[in-house]
Amino acid sequence: MSEVSDVGEIGDVSETGELSYAHGTSGTPLIGDTIGANLDRAVAAWPDREALVDVLSGRRWTYAQFAADVDGLARALLAGGVAKGDRVGIWAVNCPEWVLVQYATARIGAVMVNINPAYRTHEVEYVLKQAGISVLFASLSHKTSDYRAMVEQVRGKCPQLRETVYIGDPSWDALIARGTPGQDEEFRTRRSELSCDDPINIQYTSGTTGFPKGATLSHHNILNNGYFVGELIAYTEQDRICVPVPFYHCFGMVMGNLAATSHGACIVIPAPSFDPTATLSAVQDERCTSLYGVPTMFIAELGLADFAMYDLSSLRTGIMAGSPCPVEVMKRVVSEMHMAEVSICYGMTETSPVSLQTRRDDDLEHRTGTVGRVLPHIEVKVVDPATGTTLPRGSAGELCTRGYSVMLGYWDEPEKTAEAVDAGRWMHTGDLAVMLDDGYVQIVGRIKDMIIRGGENIYPREIEEFLYAHPKIADVQVVGVPHERYGEEVLACVIPRDAGDPPTLEEVRAFCEGRLAHYKVPSRLRVMEAFPMTVSGKVRKVELREGGAGGA
């Protein structure tokens, strides 16, 4: 939907009769390297180009310096008895050491386990036990989190955890001091034993019920995904990528770090966690060509009182992912942030993560109304959730994806793996999608987020896109809440443009009158200061629903 005045019904079946299936054929082969071997190629090609910049500390690494520090850390881990397949955890905010751990563990075949920096003792204890982590790297503290104190609380309950190394602490220096050039033969032997299909990374998905599951990914999964995402926005060694999104998530460590190093580009860390001022300052001062973020990040940057004072003319591209981008936000990103080639990506942790992506020359309608088309070497289809049958194009159903990017499985949970990945190796995403005639895909909601009101299927995304144009609404999320008669009713949760003059339910309903079908018009309104978010920038709709039908 490119114009809010043209809100049609989602799911008009294609007249061509073509099925909702697409395969990303490509003349560019998949990479068969391990992550370490791929880094070696970058170092050989661009030893003196910058690989990594940390704005906060002022530290900088060329590719040659970065590889030397990666190898030093890898040798130290070998000296500490880390074997191939051992799990090494990292529980930290964005910093250069995070990136060093990522590549050092890959060098020696250890499985790096990403731990959400927002986790507290109950959650981190679960991950330490479930993954069997033997060595843990952690920040000392960040904002209200005292990581050392939390580790001390759970250490006695995690018998496999034998060592914790704190970033910025003498324990880091002590670890590095273990590594010696005398380990070169052992280092070479270990590297020769690695396969690109080995598990190399566990990422815990942010489950809304119960404990999260550990998606297990290989070198082949994440290296290729980072590479092809970078290919589609034409990365070269000239690019400098500002990465304000968290490294613990695929967005940061795959689409950011691996997309960069596989193309000889530079990773720029603007701050330990997202800060709109620090982000734009980094883009300006480091002359970044690419900027990442979820839509709420771009909204925050555009909303800065001194936004116009930043020189963002070096930007040409970037990636927006995590949730759909409002049309008006995309217009400003393209025109005022100079990101004419900005790309929308869709994916999930279990698929390394990206399956669909818009292309550099796509128009505004495709960048806001779709999440792009299939990546090279990947298959996607839209199926009937009940029968598994592939649907005609234009029909809403569950999006499934297959190919090199699909995870090896959930760590030590074969039954949950079988629930998500079927016998044909199709990953079932749980997302409701529509494939258009041109192969581009619209995400219309989660299967569990779809609202069924009096027998009518309602897709929250459609109503959200429409309400973004209301003059009093800065941001909006739509959820279904229980209703005695209709089963569910529509609740609009809004963040007002002016806190002193929020919209009323009557104003919202009047705005929808005659432009949305009656059953889609919100019957409840909740005005909020902010939405509950995951660390990766996704709105936690389950919490909005749990708030009940409160509001006007």
Side-chain angles (χ1 to χ4, degrees):
M1 293 168 289
S2 60
E3 300 293 333
V4 294
S5 60
D6 181 23
V7 181
E9 298 295 323
I10 292 175
D12 293 333
V13 176
S14 168
E15 294 180 359
T16 67
E18 193 171 355
L19 292 177
S20 297
Y21 169 87
H23 176 213
T25 55
S26 175
T28 303
L30 290 166
I31 299 171
D33 290 338
T34 62
I35 290 169
N38 188 255
L39 178 61
D40 288 339
R41 293 180 188 273
V43 174
W46 305 289
D48 299 323
R49 293 203 68 87
E50 280 192 331
L52 179 63
V53 173
D54 181 48
V55 174
L56 186 64
S57 67
R59 292 177 291 169
R60 296 172 181 273
W61 287 258
T62 64
Y63 266 89
Q65 292 166 338
F66 177 70
D69 281 359
V70 164
D71 288 355
L73 178 55
R75 288 189 183 94
L77 290 171
L78 280 176
V82 174
K84 178 183 176 183
D86 282 0
R87 273 77 66 206
V88 174
I90 182 156
W91 188 27
V93 292
N94 285 13
C95 60
E97 289 80 4
W98 207 110
V99 188
L100 293 172
V101 171
Q102 177 183 347
Y103 286 82
T105 49
R107 278 285 207 210
I108 61 171
V111 180
M112 183 178 71
V113 183
N114 304 8
I115 305 176
N116 186 333
Y119 277 3
R120 291 296 183 262
T121 52
H122 179 63
E123 297 150 318
V124 78
E125 178 187 335
Y126 173 79
V127 170
L128 289 169
K129 287 180 176 176
Q130 205 274 333
I133 291 171
S134 57
V135 177
L136 175 66
F137 289 90
S139 293
L140 282 165
S141 62
H142 182 68
K143 296 182 179 178
T144 61
S145 296
D146 183 338
Y147 295 100
R148 191 195 297 270
M150 286 189 277
V151 171
E152 290 306 315
Q153 286 183 52
V154 303
R155 180 188 292 277
K157 304 174 187 177
C158 302
Q160 286 183 274
L161 180 63
R162 65 173 189 265
E163 183 174 14
T164 303
V165 179
Y166 293 98
I167 296 165
D169 178 78
S171 58
W172 175 275
D173 297 327
L175 174 74
I176 297 299
R178 293 180 194 161
T180 66
Q183 295 169 288
D184 280 354
E185 184 174 349
E186 181 186 3
F187 191 28
R188 282 194 297 270
T189 299
R190 175 67 63 84
R191 289 168 63 181
S192 71
E193 295 171 348
L194 306 183
S195 162
C196 67
D197 294 318
D198 290 336
I200 203 64
N201 184 216
I202 297 174
Q203 301 202 25
Y204 280 85
T205 59
S206 49
T208 54
T209 58
F211 284 106
K213 302 181 291 291
T216 307
L217 304 169
S218 67
H219 295 267
H220 197 65
N221 288 149
I222 58 179
L223 174 58
N224 277 289
N225 204 252
Y227 173 72
F228 279 101
V229 166
E231 283 288 284
L232 292 182
I233 47 180
Y235 277 160
T236 72
E237 72 277 10
Q238 304 292 330
D239 281 293
R240 299 174 68 80
I241 308 167
C242 184
V243 187
V245 296
F247 287 147
Y248 100 87
H249 188 264
C250 271
F251 199 170
M253 67 159 285
V254 178
M255 298 149 73
N257 298 346
L258 287 169
T261 58
S262 61
H263 290 88
C266 179
I267 303 158
V268 176
I269 306 172
S273 60
F274 175 65
D275 177 275
T277 299
T279 299
L280 295 190
S281 294
V283 169
Q284 173 181 274
D285 297 342
E286 294 296 330
R287 306 303 294 160
C288 294
T289 60
S290 177
L291 173 61
Y292 288 5
V294 298
T296 52
M297 290 181 175
F298 285 98
I299 290 168
E301 291 154 9
L302 290 162
L304 290 174
D306 61 348
F307 169 78
M309 302 299 293
Y310 293 94
D311 178 3
L312 308 179
S313 59
S314 59
L315 287 173
R316 69 165 181 89
T317 190
I319 294 176
M320 201 181 298
S323 57
C325 179
V327 174
E328 295 306 316
V329 175
M330 179 60 77
K331 286 179 180 177
R332 292 191 64 194
V333 167
V334 169
S335 63
E336 298 175 41
M337 299 183 78
H338 307 281
M339 295 170 62
E341 298 176 15
V342 65
S343 184
I344 299 294
C345 289
Y346 163 85
M348 59 192 305
T349 304
E350 292 90 336
T351 57
S352 303
V354 180
S355 300
L356 299 157
Q357 185 174 352
T358 60
R359 302 321 199 241
R360 296 167 64 198
D361 56 354
D362 280 343
D363 57 27
L364 184 69
E365 183 173 1
H366 280 91
R367 289 184 190 174
T368 56
T370 80
V371 290
R373 53 191 169 93
V374 67
L375 255 65
H377 301 288
I378 289 175
E379 298 170 274
V380 293
K381 65 179 180 177
V382 177
V383 303
D384 183 319
T387 66
T389 304
T390 304
L391 295 168
R393 294 199 178 189
S395 303
E398 184 180 21
L399 180 68
C400 299
T401 183
R402 179 168 70 177
Y404 75 82
S405 62
V406 175
M407 65 175 179
L408 300 178
Y410 292 120
W411 183 262
D412 202 24
E413 294 191 280
E415 291 181 3
K416 289 184 178 178
T417 302
E419 291 172 7
V421 183
D422 66 24
R425 289 292 297 165
W426 286 98
M427 177 75 208
H428 288 252
T429 68
D431 282 326
L432 282 167
V434 174
M435 185 178 291
L436 307 178
D437 282 341
D438 60 7
Y440 281 74
V441 173
Q442 295 175 325
I443 301 297
V444 297
R446 295 285 292 168
I447 290 177
K448 64 185 179 185
D449 287 344
M450 186 174 70
I451 302 166
I452 305 176
R453 181 188 182 276
E456 297 280 4
N457 291 349
I458 301 171
Y459 304 102
R461 160 70 168 150
E462 180 181 9
I463 305 171
E464 291 162 357
E465 187 67 58
F466 177 75
L467 290 178
Y468 273 119
H470 192 289
K472 289 188 176 184
I473 294 176
D475 206 352
V476 56
Q477 294 291 321
V478 170
V479 296
V481 291
H483 187 273
E484 288 185 6
R485 180 179 176 187
Y486 294 112
E488 288 185 289
E489 62 180 338
V490 178
L491 165 66
C493 301
V494 304
I495 297 173
R497 291 188 183 276
D498 180 354
D501 184 25
T504 65
L505 178 61
E506 291 72 23
E507 288 173 329
V508 169
R509 290 178 63 84
F511 185 76
C512 299
E513 189 67 33
R515 302 168 76 194
L516 280 179
H518 71 90
Y519 59 87
K520 299 177 186 176
V521 177
S523 52
R524 293 276 179 175
L525 179 73
R526 183 183 300 149
V527 178
M528 307 179 71
E529 293 181 0
F531 297 135
M533 307 284 281
T534 67
V535 170
S536 57
K538 294 183 179 181
V539 176
R540 288 184 56 81
K541 286 199 169 187
V542 65
E543 291 188 22
L544 297 178
R545 282 193 294 269
E546 286 171 353

